[in-house]
Amino acid sequence: MKLTPEQLKDFDELGYLFLPDCFSDEEVAVLRQEAENIYKTDRKEVWREKSGAPRTAFAAHTYNEAFRLLGAHPRLIEPLEQLFGEPVYMHQYKINAKSAFDGEVWQWHQDYGTWARDDGMPEPRAMNISVFLDEVMPINGPLMLVPRTHKQGVLAAGHDKATTSYPLWTLDQETVTRLVQENGIIAPTGKPGGVLMFHGNLVHGSSGNITPYPRKIVYLTLCAVSNHIRKPTRPEWIAHQDFTPIQAVEDDALLKFARSYKVAAE
Amino acid sequence: MKLTPEQLKDFDELGYLFLPDCFSDEEVAVLRQEAENIYKTDRKEVWREKSGAPRTAFAAHTYNEAFRLLGAHPRLIEPLEQLFGEPVYMHQYKINAKSAFDGEVWQWHQDYGTWARDDGMPEPRAMNISVFLDEVMPINGPLMLVPRTHKQGVLAAGHDKATTSYPLWTLDQETVTRLVQENGIIAPTGKPGGVLMFHGNLVHGSSGNITPYPRKIVYLTLCAVSNHIRKPTRPEWIAHQDFTPIQAVEDDALLKFARSYKVAAE
């Protein structure tokens, strides 16, 4: 899948692209089911909120077939190869739960701030692609983006280890207020299967979720191979050190897997 | 101001009524300014979030002229006299801040559950009327209502004293899930000056606010005089014990005050 000239222009200007209906119901159903199965396991890659509800599961592409296929899907890999002009590898892979009733906030931050400070990534030539596994609604903690902030470079940030179970380099309130006054906030919402790509320096965050609607999103962090991290300080399953270029699978690989999965379950 | 037969039917069926543009910009501006001034004071009626940001200010109609006029405003008093068929008194009066960046959640609850358990109010013949002082957006912690749940009676609840600084009788997750599956969630949003009335047994809650947009709402709890509370356990400035019927002021009283206020400030 290639991005159109209009999409490339929008991305350059706003710092994000939203692609509704990127994955079909059949493809998403298997991912959603497998995410729930992973959250039930007691492995080190699964982190929890203070309540015990799942917060995120790392590196699922390394131990789950459905998420392996998603992590090499041409609808995600090819646009990034196009943007970076070279092959990409997987820097990080997360299934964020934003659980019903208990999903906690992600404070305002830039992803590249963490990749630079914690992992020694040279340039913001890496990007998050998020795949909606549940319906993302205005009320269940949608991702909130501050458009155009990807042109601000790396902003000053403090290391927040207290607010949630996930340490994050977060921006101060004065900075966020100024950026939002200038640019507003957008919160793309929509049904499962939508894909949201956003620049590594785009300022974003998300509120807690007290609704009975879970809001699972997969985040692939794809990095240009030449931009691989230089000074890892986090475990390999959080910030990967395998810089092998991803070979995209066939476009129907996940669909075929979903169909065989359904048959196996019957 | 009287409610129309259609409005009365909607209220009976759904348990709430939303009236956009009930107060003008001029009227709201003075209330917003005075709310900020009250939050800056160090009085027992002002409660704060863990961060120190204001959470709510009680009883402002007893010590602030603008909020006194709002608390006797015919656009709020008359519809409730109409619904209850008798005069009303002020049971509680709060200015909830839902502060920018720091506004915390209000867990799912029914207001009458607290009025019955904590104050000995005989029947759910009291109601919250909320007046938006800031723009209420999908992303800054709007009030979320579960329509039609006012016909459920008083549901079992637990006394939550830990989640936030405000003790509240809250519903369990199984109950909320069931009610939302049956009825959905609605979250009225809109500009300052909008008014939302909802039945004392309507299930509702609100998420935290991490945006730079504050979301102040005034809540008047008006109770039918004959339904006055019988067993108060909370301080008088939280659950009032003056059961005198409210005499509505003139419809332009708040507007006149706003204009004199502006002149005084110049």
mmCIF file with all atom_site columns, all heavy atoms in Angstrom, chain B residues 1-8 17 19 22 74-86 197 251:
data_model
loop_
_atom_site.group_PDB
_atom_site.id
_atom_site.type_symbol
_atom_site.label_atom_id
_atom_site.label_alt_id
_atom_site.label_comp_id
_atom_site.label_asym_id
_atom_site.label_entity_id
_atom_site.label_seq_id
_atom_site.pdbx_PDB_ins_code
_atom_site.Cartn_x
_atom_site.Cartn_y
_atom_site.Cartn_z
_atom_site.occupancy
_atom_site.B_iso_or_equiv
_atom_site.pdbx_formal_charge
_atom_site.auth_seq_id
_atom_site.auth_comp_id
_atom_site.auth_asym_id
_atom_site.auth_atom_id
_atom_site.pdbx_PDB_model_num
ATOM 1   N N   . MET B 1 1   ? -39.613 30.330 33.242 1.00 0.00 ? 1   MET B N   1
ATOM 2   C CA  . MET B 1 1   ? -39.488 29.434 32.072 1.00 0.00 ? 1   MET B CA  1
ATOM 3   C C   . MET B 1 1   ? -40.197 28.114 32.353 1.00 0.00 ? 1   MET B C   1
ATOM 4   O O   . MET B 1 1   ? -39.971 27.509 33.403 1.00 0.00 ? 1   MET B O   1
ATOM 5   C CB  . MET B 1 1   ? -38.007 29.171 31.794 1.00 0.00 ? 1   MET B CB  1
ATOM 6   C CG  . MET B 1 1   ? -37.741 28.576 30.436 1.00 0.00 ? 1   MET B CG  1
ATOM 7   S SD  . MET B 1 1   ? -35.962 28.286 30.160 1.00 0.00 ? 1   MET B SD  1
ATOM 8   C CE  . MET B 1 1   ? -35.757 26.671 30.898 1.00 0.00 ? 1   MET B CE  1
ATOM 9   N N   . LYS B 1 2   ? -41.041 27.712 31.427 1.00 0.00 ? 2   LYS B N   1
ATOM 10  C CA  . LYS B 1 2   ? -41.768 26.454 31.591 1.00 0.00 ? 2   LYS B CA  1
ATOM 11  C C   . LYS B 1 2   ? -41.275 25.436 30.557 1.00 0.00 ? 2   LYS B C   1
ATOM 12  O O   . LYS B 1 2   ? -40.932 25.804 29.431 1.00 0.00 ? 2   LYS B O   1
ATOM 13  C CB  . LYS B 1 2   ? -43.276 26.668 31.363 1.00 0.00 ? 2   LYS B CB  1
ATOM 14  C CG  . LYS B 1 2   ? -43.941 27.549 32.403 1.00 0.00 ? 2   LYS B CG  1
ATOM 15  C CD  . LYS B 1 2   ? -44.368 26.740 33.621 1.00 0.00 ? 2   LYS B CD  1
ATOM 16  C CE  . LYS B 1 2   ? -45.012 27.687 34.652 1.00 0.00 ? 2   LYS B CE  1
ATOM 17  N NZ  . LYS B 1 2   ? -45.187 27.059 35.957 1.00 0.00 ? 2   LYS B NZ  1
ATOM 18  N N   . LEU B 1 3   ? -41.267 24.184 30.938 1.00 0.00 ? 3   LEU B N   1
ATOM 19  C CA  . LEU B 1 3   ? -40.938 23.127 29.982 1.00 0.00 ? 3   LEU B CA  1
ATOM 20  C C   . LEU B 1 3   ? -42.169 22.817 29.122 1.00 0.00 ? 3   LEU B C   1
ATOM 21  O O   . LEU B 1 3   ? -43.300 22.872 29.605 1.00 0.00 ? 3   LEU B O   1
ATOM 22  C CB  . LEU B 1 3   ? -40.503 21.868 30.730 1.00 0.00 ? 3   LEU B CB  1
ATOM 23  C CG  . LEU B 1 3   ? -39.267 22.044 31.614 1.00 0.00 ? 3   LEU B CG  1
ATOM 24  C CD1 . LEU B 1 3   ? -38.983 20.762 32.395 1.00 0.00 ? 3   LEU B CD1 1
ATOM 25  C CD2 . LEU B 1 3   ? -38.044 22.449 30.800 1.00 0.00 ? 3   LEU B CD2 1
ATOM 26  N N   . THR B 1 4   ? -41.918 22.476 27.857 1.00 0.00 ? 4   THR B N   1
ATOM 27  C CA  . THR B 1 4   ? -43.015 22.140 26.948 1.00 0.00 ? 4   THR B CA  1
ATOM 28  C C   . THR B 1 4   ? -43.468 20.701 27.195 1.00 0.00 ? 4   THR B C   1
ATOM 29  O O   . THR B 1 4   ? -42.725 19.903 27.797 1.00 0.00 ? 4   THR B O   1
ATOM 30  C CB  . THR B 1 4   ? -42.552 22.254 25.475 1.00 0.00 ? 4   THR B CB  1
ATOM 31  O OG1 . THR B 1 4   ? -41.559 21.245 25.252 1.00 0.00 ? 4   THR B OG1 1
ATOM 32  C CG2 . THR B 1 4   ? -41.939 23.617 25.183 1.00 0.00 ? 4   THR B CG2 1
ATOM 33  N N   . PRO B 1 5   ? -44.655 20.333 26.716 1.00 0.00 ? 5   PRO B N   1
ATOM 34  C CA  . PRO B 1 5   ? -45.097 18.940 26.852 1.00 0.00 ? 5   PRO B CA  1
ATOM 35  C C   . PRO B 1 5   ? -44.094 17.950 26.246 1.00 0.00 ? 5   PRO B C   1
ATOM 36  O O   . PRO B 1 5   ? -43.852 16.873 26.800 1.00 0.00 ? 5   PRO B O   1
ATOM 37  C CB  . PRO B 1 5   ? -46.422 18.920 26.073 1.00 0.00 ? 5   PRO B CB  1
ATOM 38  C CG  . PRO B 1 5   ? -46.919 20.328 26.124 1.00 0.00 ? 5   PRO B CG  1
ATOM 39  C CD  . PRO B 1 5   ? -45.700 21.204 26.132 1.00 0.00 ? 5   PRO B CD  1
ATOM 40  N N   . GLU B 1 6   ? -43.464 18.335 25.124 1.00 0.00 ? 6   GLU B N   1
ATOM 41  C CA  . GLU B 1 6   ? -42.469 17.444 24.509 1.00 0.00 ? 6   GLU B CA  1
ATOM 42  C C   . GLU B 1 6   ? -41.263 17.262 25.436 1.00 0.00 ? 6   GLU B C   1
ATOM 43  O O   . GLU B 1 6   ? -40.728 16.166 25.571 1.00 0.00 ? 6   GLU B O   1
ATOM 44  C CB  . GLU B 1 6   ? -41.974 18.008 23.162 1.00 0.00 ? 6   GLU B CB  1
ATOM 45  C CG  . GLU B 1 6   ? -42.998 18.014 22.043 1.00 0.00 ? 6   GLU B CG  1
ATOM 46  C CD  . GLU B 1 6   ? -44.112 19.044 22.265 1.00 0.00 ? 6   GLU B CD  1
ATOM 47  O OE1 . GLU B 1 6   ? -43.843 20.106 22.891 1.00 0.00 ? 6   GLU B OE1 1
ATOM 48  O OE2 . GLU B 1 6   ? -45.257 18.789 21.859 1.00 0.00 ? 6   GLU B OE2 1
ATOM 49  N N   . GLN B 1 7   ? -40.847 18.376 26.048 1.00 0.00 ? 7   GLN B N   1
ATOM 50  C CA  . GLN B 1 7   ? -39.701 18.288 26.966 1.00 0.00 ? 7   GLN B CA  1
ATOM 51  C C   . GLN B 1 7   ? -40.041 17.422 28.172 1.00 0.00 ? 7   GLN B C   1
ATOM 52  O O   . GLN B 1 7   ? -39.229 16.629 28.630 1.00 0.00 ? 7   GLN B O   1
ATOM 53  C CB  . GLN B 1 7   ? -39.267 19.691 27.404 1.00 0.00 ? 7   GLN B CB  1
ATOM 54  C CG  . GLN B 1 7   ? -38.556 20.463 26.289 1.00 0.00 ? 7   GLN B CG  1
ATOM 55  C CD  . GLN B 1 7   ? -38.227 21.892 26.679 1.00 0.00 ? 7   GLN B CD  1
ATOM 56  O OE1 . GLN B 1 7   ? -39.021 22.572 27.338 1.00 0.00 ? 7   GLN B OE1 1
ATOM 57  N NE2 . GLN B 1 7   ? -37.058 22.362 26.272 1.00 0.00 ? 7   GLN B NE2 1
ATOM 58  N N   . LEU B 1 8   ? -41.251 17.568 28.670 1.00 0.00 ? 8   LEU B N   1
ATOM 59  C CA  . LEU B 1 8   ? -41.660 16.757 29.826 1.00 0.00 ? 8   LEU B CA  1
ATOM 60  C C   . LEU B 1 8   ? -41.683 15.270 29.459 1.00 0.00 ? 8   LEU B C   1
ATOM 61  O O   . LEU B 1 8   ? -41.270 14.416 30.245 1.00 0.00 ? 8   LEU B O   1
ATOM 62  C CB  . LEU B 1 8   ? -43.041 17.202 30.318 1.00 0.00 ? 8   LEU B CB  1
ATOM 63  C CG  . LEU B 1 8   ? -43.070 18.581 30.988 1.00 0.00 ? 8   LEU B CG  1
ATOM 64  C CD1 . LEU B 1 8   ? -44.509 19.050 31.200 1.00 0.00 ? 8   LEU B CD1 1
ATOM 65  C CD2 . LEU B 1 8   ? -42.326 18.560 32.322 1.00 0.00 ? 8   LEU B CD2 1
ATOM 66  N N   . LEU B 1 17  ? -32.729 16.272 30.339 1.00 0.00 ? 17  LEU B N   1
ATOM 67  C CA  . LEU B 1 17  ? -33.067 17.282 29.336 1.00 0.00 ? 17  LEU B CA  1
ATOM 68  C C   . LEU B 1 17  ? -31.861 18.183 29.159 1.00 0.00 ? 17  LEU B C   1
ATOM 69  O O   . LEU B 1 17  ? -31.281 18.632 30.148 1.00 0.00 ? 17  LEU B O   1
ATOM 70  C CB  . LEU B 1 17  ? -34.214 18.165 29.817 1.00 0.00 ? 17  LEU B CB  1
ATOM 71  C CG  . LEU B 1 17  ? -35.641 17.836 29.427 1.00 0.00 ? 17  LEU B CG  1
ATOM 72  C CD1 . LEU B 1 17  ? -36.543 18.971 29.919 1.00 0.00 ? 17  LEU B CD1 1
ATOM 73  C CD2 . LEU B 1 17  ? -35.811 17.644 27.924 1.00 0.00 ? 17  LEU B CD2 1
ATOM 74  N N   . LEU B 1 19  ? -30.603 21.771 27.558 1.00 0.00 ? 19  LEU B N   1
ATOM 75  C CA  . LEU B 1 19  ? -31.093 23.045 27.042 1.00 0.00 ? 19  LEU B CA  1
ATOM 76  C C   . LEU B 1 19  ? -29.899 23.923 26.669 1.00 0.00 ? 19  LEU B C   1
ATOM 77  O O   . LEU B 1 19  ? -29.345 24.629 27.533 1.00 0.00 ? 19  LEU B O   1
ATOM 78  C CB  . LEU B 1 19  ? -31.929 23.751 28.118 1.00 0.00 ? 19  LEU B CB  1
ATOM 79  C CG  . LEU B 1 19  ? -33.013 22.896 28.806 1.00 0.00 ? 19  LEU B CG  1
ATOM 80  C CD1 . LEU B 1 19  ? -33.555 23.592 30.055 1.00 0.00 ? 19  LEU B CD1 1
ATOM 81  C CD2 . LEU B 1 19  ? -34.147 22.581 27.829 1.00 0.00 ? 19  LEU B CD2 1
ATOM 82  N N   . CYS B 1 22  ? -28.994 28.427 27.349 1.00 0.00 ? 22  CYS B N   1
ATOM 83  C CA  . CYS B 1 22  ? -29.956 28.855 28.366 1.00 0.00 ? 22  CYS B CA  1
ATOM 84  C C   . CYS B 1 22  ? -29.520 30.181 29.001 1.00 0.00 ? 22  CYS B C   1
ATOM 85  O O   . CYS B 1 22  ? -30.350 31.006 29.347 1.00 0.00 ? 22  CYS B O   1
ATOM 86  C CB  . CYS B 1 22  ? -30.074 27.759 29.418 1.00 0.00 ? 22  CYS B CB  1
ATOM 87  S SG  . CYS B 1 22  ? -31.592 27.798 30.354 1.00 0.00 ? 22  CYS B SG  1
ATOM 88  N N   . PRO B 1 74  ? -35.054 32.034 37.624 1.00 0.00 ? 74  PRO B N   1
ATOM 89  C CA  . PRO B 1 74  ? -36.311 31.415 37.179 1.00 0.00 ? 74  PRO B CA  1
ATOM 90  C C   . PRO B 1 74  ? -36.125 30.375 36.068 1.00 0.00 ? 74  PRO B C   1
ATOM 91  O O   . PRO B 1 74  ? -36.934 29.449 35.960 1.00 0.00 ? 74  PRO B O   1
ATOM 92  C CB  . PRO B 1 74  ? -37.143 32.614 36.679 1.00 0.00 ? 74  PRO B CB  1
ATOM 93  C CG  . PRO B 1 74  ? -36.165 33.723 36.461 1.00 0.00 ? 74  PRO B CG  1
ATOM 94  C CD  . PRO B 1 74  ? -35.058 33.500 37.441 1.00 0.00 ? 74  PRO B CD  1
ATOM 95  N N   . ARG B 1 75  ? -35.028 30.512 35.274 1.00 0.00 ? 75  ARG B N   1
ATOM 96  C CA  . ARG B 1 75  ? -34.832 29.502 34.216 1.00 0.00 ? 75  ARG B CA  1
ATOM 97  C C   . ARG B 1 75  ? -34.483 28.133 34.814 1.00 0.00 ? 75  ARG B C   1
ATOM 98  O O   . ARG B 1 75  ? -34.559 27.113 34.133 1.00 0.00 ? 75  ARG B O   1
ATOM 99  C CB  . ARG B 1 75  ? -33.708 29.955 33.258 1.00 0.00 ? 75  ARG B CB  1
ATOM 100 C CG  . ARG B 1 75  ? -34.148 31.058 32.313 1.00 0.00 ? 75  ARG B CG  1
ATOM 101 C CD  . ARG B 1 75  ? -32.965 31.644 31.519 1.00 0.00 ? 75  ARG B CD  1
ATOM 102 N NE  . ARG B 1 75  ? -32.953 33.093 31.600 1.00 0.00 ? 75  ARG B NE  1
ATOM 103 C CZ  . ARG B 1 75  ? -31.890 33.878 31.382 1.00 0.00 ? 75  ARG B CZ  1
ATOM 104 N NH1 . ARG B 1 75  ? -30.725 33.326 31.050 1.00 0.00 ? 75  ARG B NH1 1
ATOM 105 N NH2 . ARG B 1 75  ? -31.980 35.184 31.492 1.00 0.00 ? 75  ARG B NH2 1
ATOM 106 N N   . LEU B 1 76  ? -34.064 28.125 36.082 1.00 0.00 ? 76  LEU B N   1
ATOM 107 C CA  . LEU B 1 76  ? -33.735 26.854 36.739 1.00 0.00 ? 76  LEU B CA  1
ATOM 108 C C   . LEU B 1 76  ? -34.824 26.453 37.743 1.00 0.00 ? 76  LEU B C   1
ATOM 109 O O   . LEU B 1 76  ? -35.185 25.279 37.844 1.00 0.00 ? 76  LEU B O   1
ATOM 110 C CB  . LEU B 1 76  ? -32.379 26.980 37.445 1.00 0.00 ? 76  LEU B CB  1
ATOM 111 C CG  . LEU B 1 76  ? -31.224 27.494 36.556 1.00 0.00 ? 76  LEU B CG  1
ATOM 112 C CD1 . LEU B 1 76  ? -29.954 27.649 37.388 1.00 0.00 ? 76  LEU B CD1 1
ATOM 113 C CD2 . LEU B 1 76  ? -30.979 26.568 35.370 1.00 0.00 ? 76  LEU B CD2 1
ATOM 114 N N   . ILE B 1 77  ? -35.325 27.440 38.467 1.00 0.00 ? 77  ILE B N   1
ATOM 115 C CA  . ILE B 1 77  ? -36.293 27.149 39.541 1.00 0.00 ? 77  ILE B CA  1
ATOM 116 C C   . ILE B 1 77  ? -37.657 26.733 38.971 1.00 0.00 ? 77  ILE B C   1
ATOM 117 O O   . ILE B 1 77  ? -38.257 25.746 39.424 1.00 0.00 ? 77  ILE B O   1
ATOM 118 C CB  . ILE B 1 77  ? -36.466 28.394 40.449 1.00 0.00 ? 77  ILE B CB  1
ATOM 119 C CG1 . ILE B 1 77  ? -35.113 28.812 41.063 1.00 0.00 ? 77  ILE B CG1 1
ATOM 120 C CG2 . ILE B 1 77  ? -37.512 28.133 41.538 1.00 0.00 ? 77  ILE B CG2 1
ATOM 121 C CD1 . ILE B 1 77  ? -34.443 27.760 41.891 1.00 0.00 ? 77  ILE B CD1 1
ATOM 122 N N   . GLU B 1 78  ? -38.141 27.488 37.985 1.00 0.00 ? 78  GLU B N   1
ATOM 123 C CA  . GLU B 1 78  ? -39.509 27.245 37.507 1.00 0.00 ? 78  GLU B CA  1
ATOM 124 C C   . GLU B 1 78  ? -39.705 25.857 36.894 1.00 0.00 ? 78  GLU B C   1
ATOM 125 O O   . GLU B 1 78  ? -40.714 25.198 37.181 1.00 0.00 ? 78  GLU B O   1
ATOM 126 C CB  . GLU B 1 78  ? -39.931 28.357 36.532 1.00 0.00 ? 78  GLU B CB  1
ATOM 127 C CG  . GLU B 1 78  ? -40.181 29.682 37.261 1.00 0.00 ? 78  GLU B CG  1
ATOM 128 C CD  . GLU B 1 78  ? -40.445 30.854 36.321 1.00 0.00 ? 78  GLU B CD  1
ATOM 129 O OE1 . GLU B 1 78  ? -40.556 30.635 35.082 1.00 0.00 ? 78  GLU B OE1 1
ATOM 130 O OE2 . GLU B 1 78  ? -40.525 31.992 36.822 1.00 0.00 ? 78  GLU B OE2 1
ATOM 131 N N   . PRO B 1 79  ? -38.768 25.375 36.057 1.00 0.00 ? 79  PRO B N   1
ATOM 132 C CA  . PRO B 1 79  ? -38.973 24.015 35.531 1.00 0.00 ? 79  PRO B CA  1
ATOM 133 C C   . PRO B 1 79  ? -39.070 22.963 36.634 1.00 0.00 ? 79  PRO B C   1
ATOM 134 O O   . PRO B 1 79  ? -39.846 22.021 36.533 1.00 0.00 ? 79  PRO B O   1
ATOM 135 C CB  . PRO B 1 79  ? -37.726 23.775 34.663 1.00 0.00 ? 79  PRO B CB  1
ATOM 136 C CG  . PRO B 1 79  ? -37.280 25.129 34.265 1.00 0.00 ? 79  PRO B CG  1
ATOM 137 C CD  . PRO B 1 79  ? -37.598 26.017 35.439 1.00 0.00 ? 79  PRO B CD  1
ATOM 138 N N   . LEU B 1 80  ? -38.318 23.160 37.716 1.00 0.00 ? 80  LEU B N   1
ATOM 139 C CA  . LEU B 1 80  ? -38.368 22.150 38.780 1.00 0.00 ? 80  LEU B CA  1
ATOM 140 C C   . LEU B 1 80  ? -39.645 22.264 39.601 1.00 0.00 ? 80  LEU B C   1
ATOM 141 O O   . LEU B 1 80  ? -40.217 21.246 40.000 1.00 0.00 ? 80  LEU B O   1
ATOM 142 C CB  . LEU B 1 80  ? -37.125 22.250 39.672 1.00 0.00 ? 80  LEU B CB  1
ATOM 143 C CG  . LEU B 1 80  ? -35.844 21.697 39.080 1.00 0.00 ? 80  LEU B CG  1
ATOM 144 C CD1 . LEU B 1 80  ? -35.206 20.674 40.003 1.00 0.00 ? 80  LEU B CD1 1
ATOM 145 C CD2 . LEU B 1 80  ? -36.027 21.087 37.707 1.00 0.00 ? 80  LEU B CD2 1
ATOM 146 N N   . GLU B 1 81  ? -40.105 23.494 39.831 1.00 0.00 ? 81  GLU B N   1
ATOM 147 C CA  . GLU B 1 81  ? -41.411 23.655 40.499 1.00 0.00 ? 81  GLU B CA  1
ATOM 148 C C   . GLU B 1 81  ? -42.496 22.969 39.664 1.00 0.00 ? 81  GLU B C   1
ATOM 149 O O   . GLU B 1 81  ? -43.395 22.312 40.199 1.00 0.00 ? 81  GLU B O   1
ATOM 150 C CB  . GLU B 1 81  ? -41.742 25.145 40.650 1.00 0.00 ? 81  GLU B CB  1
ATOM 151 C CG  . GLU B 1 81  ? -40.873 25.848 41.693 1.00 0.00 ? 81  GLU B CG  1
ATOM 152 C CD  . GLU B 1 81  ? -41.154 27.359 41.755 1.00 0.00 ? 81  GLU B CD  1
ATOM 153 O OE1 . GLU B 1 81  ? -41.697 27.917 40.756 1.00 0.00 ? 81  GLU B OE1 1
ATOM 154 O OE2 . GLU B 1 81  ? -40.810 27.970 42.777 1.00 0.00 ? 81  GLU B OE2 1
ATOM 155 N N   . GLN B 1 82  ? -42.358 23.128 38.343 1.00 0.00 ? 82  GLN B N   1
ATOM 156 C CA  . GLN B 1 82  ? -43.319 22.504 37.427 1.00 0.00 ? 82  GLN B CA  1
ATOM 157 C C   . GLN B 1 82  ? -43.266 20.975 37.546 1.00 0.00 ? 82  GLN B C   1
ATOM 158 O O   . GLN B 1 82  ? -44.297 20.301 37.659 1.00 0.00 ? 82  GLN B O   1
ATOM 159 C CB  . GLN B 1 82  ? -42.952 22.965 36.012 1.00 0.00 ? 82  GLN B CB  1
ATOM 160 C CG  . GLN B 1 82  ? -43.872 22.510 34.904 1.00 0.00 ? 82  GLN B CG  1
ATOM 161 C CD  . GLN B 1 82  ? -43.313 22.905 33.531 1.00 0.00 ? 82  GLN B CD  1
ATOM 162 O OE1 . GLN B 1 82  ? -42.241 23.526 33.413 1.00 0.00 ? 82  GLN B OE1 1
ATOM 163 N NE2 . GLN B 1 82  ? -44.046 22.542 32.484 1.00 0.00 ? 82  GLN B NE2 1
ATOM 164 N N   . LEU B 1 83  ? -42.065 20.413 37.541 1.00 0.00 ? 83  LEU B N   1
ATOM 165 C CA  . LEU B 1 83  ? -41.916 18.952 37.611 1.00 0.00 ? 83  LEU B CA  1
ATOM 166 C C   . LEU B 1 83  ? -42.392 18.385 38.943 1.00 0.00 ? 83  LEU B C   1
ATOM 167 O O   . LEU B 1 83  ? -43.028 17.336 38.985 1.00 0.00 ? 83  LEU B O   1
ATOM 168 C CB  . LEU B 1 83  ? -40.442 18.559 37.414 1.00 0.00 ? 83  LEU B CB  1
ATOM 169 C CG  . LEU B 1 83  ? -39.980 18.383 35.977 1.00 0.00 ? 83  LEU B CG  1
ATOM 170 C CD1 . LEU B 1 83  ? -38.461 18.316 35.908 1.00 0.00 ? 83  LEU B CD1 1
ATOM 171 C CD2 . LEU B 1 83  ? -40.578 17.099 35.369 1.00 0.00 ? 83  LEU B CD2 1
ATOM 172 N N   . PHE B 1 84  ? -42.066 19.083 40.043 1.00 0.00 ? 84  PHE B N   1
ATOM 173 C CA  . PHE B 1 84  ? -42.400 18.541 41.363 1.00 0.00 ? 84  PHE B CA  1
ATOM 174 C C   . PHE B 1 84  ? -43.784 19.001 41.836 1.00 0.00 ? 84  PHE B C   1
ATOM 175 O O   . PHE B 1 84  ? -44.320 18.469 42.811 1.00 0.00 ? 84  PHE B O   1
ATOM 176 C CB  . PHE B 1 84  ? -41.334 18.939 42.395 1.00 0.00 ? 84  PHE B CB  1
ATOM 177 C CG  . PHE B 1 84  ? -39.984 18.341 42.116 1.00 0.00 ? 84  PHE B CG  1
ATOM 178 C CD1 . PHE B 1 84  ? -38.830 19.091 42.258 1.00 0.00 ? 84  PHE B CD1 1
ATOM 179 C CD2 . PHE B 1 84  ? -39.857 17.005 41.719 1.00 0.00 ? 84  PHE B CD2 1
ATOM 180 C CE1 . PHE B 1 84  ? -37.571 18.539 42.002 1.00 0.00 ? 84  PHE B CE1 1
ATOM 181 C CE2 . PHE B 1 84  ? -38.598 16.450 41.481 1.00 0.00 ? 84  PHE B CE2 1
ATOM 182 C CZ  . PHE B 1 84  ? -37.461 17.216 41.614 1.00 0.00 ? 84  PHE B CZ  1
ATOM 183 N N   . GLY B 1 85  ? -44.355 20.016 41.184 1.00 0.00 ? 85  GLY B N   1
ATOM 184 C CA  . GLY B 1 85  ? -45.678 20.488 41.566 1.00 0.00 ? 85  GLY B CA  1
ATOM 185 C C   . GLY B 1 85  ? -45.711 21.182 42.922 1.00 0.00 ? 85  GLY B C   1
ATOM 186 O O   . GLY B 1 85  ? -46.752 21.232 43.589 1.00 0.00 ? 85  GLY B O   1
ATOM 187 N N   . GLU B 1 86  ? -44.573 21.717 43.324 1.00 0.00 ? 86  GLU B N   1
ATOM 188 C CA  . GLU B 1 86  ? -44.524 22.452 44.599 1.00 0.00 ? 86  GLU B CA  1
ATOM 189 C C   . GLU B 1 86  ? -43.235 23.278 44.637 1.00 0.00 ? 86  GLU B C   1
ATOM 190 O O   . GLU B 1 86  ? -42.352 23.107 43.790 1.00 0.00 ? 86  GLU B O   1
ATOM 191 C CB  . GLU B 1 86  ? -44.560 21.479 45.780 1.00 0.00 ? 86  GLU B CB  1
ATOM 192 C CG  . GLU B 1 86  ? -43.402 20.492 45.828 1.00 0.00 ? 86  GLU B CG  1
ATOM 193 C CD  . GLU B 1 86  ? -43.356 19.714 47.159 1.00 0.00 ? 86  GLU B CD  1
ATOM 194 O OE1 . GLU B 1 86  ? -43.239 20.366 48.216 1.00 0.00 ? 86  GLU B OE1 1
ATOM 195 O OE2 . GLU B 1 86  ? -43.421 18.471 47.117 1.00 0.00 ? 86  GLU B OE2 1
ATOM 196 N N   . MET B 1 197 ? -30.385 19.139 32.856 1.00 0.00 ? 197 MET B N   1
ATOM 197 C CA  . MET B 1 197 ? -31.144 18.687 34.023 1.00 0.00 ? 197 MET B CA  1
ATOM 198 C C   . MET B 1 197 ? -31.182 17.170 33.983 1.00 0.00 ? 197 MET B C   1
ATOM 199 O O   . MET B 1 197 ? -31.401 16.600 32.921 1.00 0.00 ? 197 MET B O   1
ATOM 200 C CB  . MET B 1 197 ? -32.609 19.139 33.928 1.00 0.00 ? 197 MET B CB  1
ATOM 201 C CG  . MET B 1 197 ? -32.808 20.611 33.704 1.00 0.00 ? 197 MET B CG  1
ATOM 202 S SD  . MET B 1 197 ? -34.573 21.009 33.288 1.00 0.00 ? 197 MET B SD  1
ATOM 203 C CE  . MET B 1 197 ? -35.467 19.894 34.370 1.00 0.00 ? 197 MET B CE  1
ATOM 204 N N   . ASP B 1 251 ? -36.018 37.473 35.737 1.00 0.00 ? 251 ASP B N   1
ATOM 205 C CA  . ASP B 1 251 ? -35.254 36.785 34.698 1.00 0.00 ? 251 ASP B CA  1
ATOM 206 C C   . ASP B 1 251 ? -33.997 37.554 34.285 1.00 0.00 ? 251 ASP B C   1
ATOM 207 O O   . ASP B 1 251 ? -33.010 36.958 33.846 1.00 0.00 ? 251 ASP B O   1
ATOM 208 C CB  . ASP B 1 251 ? -36.137 36.542 33.459 1.00 0.00 ? 251 ASP B CB  1
ATOM 209 C CG  . ASP B 1 251 ? -35.473 35.592 32.489 1.00 0.00 ? 251 ASP B CG  1
ATOM 210 O OD1 . ASP B 1 251 ? -35.553 34.367 32.704 1.00 0.00 ? 251 ASP B OD1 1
ATOM 211 O OD2 . ASP B 1 251 ? -34.825 36.081 31.526 1.00 0.00 ? 251 ASP B OD2 1
#
